[in-house]
Amino acid sequence: MAVIQTNSEQVKLLARLMRAEAEGEGELGMLMVGNVGVNRVLGNCLDFRNIRNLENMVYQNPGGFEATQKGYFYQPARDRDVQLARRVINGERQYPASNALWFFRPAGDCPDTWYDQSNTGRYKAHCFFAPSGDDCPNVY
């Protein structure tokens, strides 16, 4: 059962975002990017207040995703990517992105915090950061 409301076009939008942000990190990396996106919709906290759907989340400005500025993002969603997007929409979570609201790819080590959120871990090139349960209970 879906943890956020969505429609087929928004599922494809999330699939395109996941691919554009993390295709080089395989399916698990793509699922983690999807976790961050779903958490931003669920959270209604911090920098993500009133982000009520996937379209709001993907195109949030400021605070959105660099991938939306690249041509690769605008290619049609592939079936496998849509399946991955549905998995995260249905509540599948992957550590260290389980409760994360941010990720980025540093040149070196992951910093301890990012936007005042604690580092929850790294997967390949991306570091993930989650708020506290007090700051953002809806992502827990």
Side-chain angles (χ1 to χ4, degrees):
M1 182 172 192
V3 296
I4 58 172
Q5 287 189 319
T6 190
N7 61 41
S8 62
E9 290 307 308
Q10 290 181 4
V11 173
K12 291 176 188 173
L13 180 65
L14 180 61
R16 291 178 16 225
L17 178 72
M18 291 165 58
R19 179 186 69 214
E21 289 283 351
E23 182 176 42
E25 299 197 359
E27 290 185 359
L28 187 55
M30 291 170 61
L31 287 167
M32 290 180 192
V33 167
N35 285 157
V36 169
V38 168
N39 287 342
R40 288 180 178 189
V41 175
L42 284 172
N44 196 28
C45 62
L46 303 173
D47 292 341
F48 308 104
R49 292 194 188 284
N50 299 316
I51 301 297
R52 303 309 336 138
N53 61 52
L54 290 170
E55 189 171 359
N56 294 159
M57 180 273 299
V58 169
Y59 294 113
Q60 182 185 10
N61 189 11
F65 295 90
E66 289 181 22
T68 62
Q69 301 168 12
K70 314 277 187 205
Y72 188 57
F73 170 76
Y74 293 93
Q75 294 180 5
R78 300 177 300 199
D79 289 343
R80 183 63 185 139
D81 302 334
V82 170
Q83 291 172 1
L84 293 173
R86 284 190 180 120
R87 286 170 58 183
V88 296
I89 289 166
N90 286 332
E92 184 176 325
R93 293 180 180 221
Q94 301 294 331
Y95 182 82
S98 307
N99 310 105
L101 291 175
W102 293 96
F103 67 90
F104 84 105
R105 182 181 190 148
D109 293 337
C110 297
D112 291 337
T113 60
W114 184 256
Y115 291 96
D116 295 323
Q117 295 178 45
S118 298
N119 177 352
T120 58
R122 181 180 204 131
Y123 181 75
K124 295 188 178 182
H126 285 108
C127 302
F128 292 86
F129 301 86
S132 71
D134 290 338
D135 286 338
C136 203
N138 291 342
V139 300
Y140 286 89

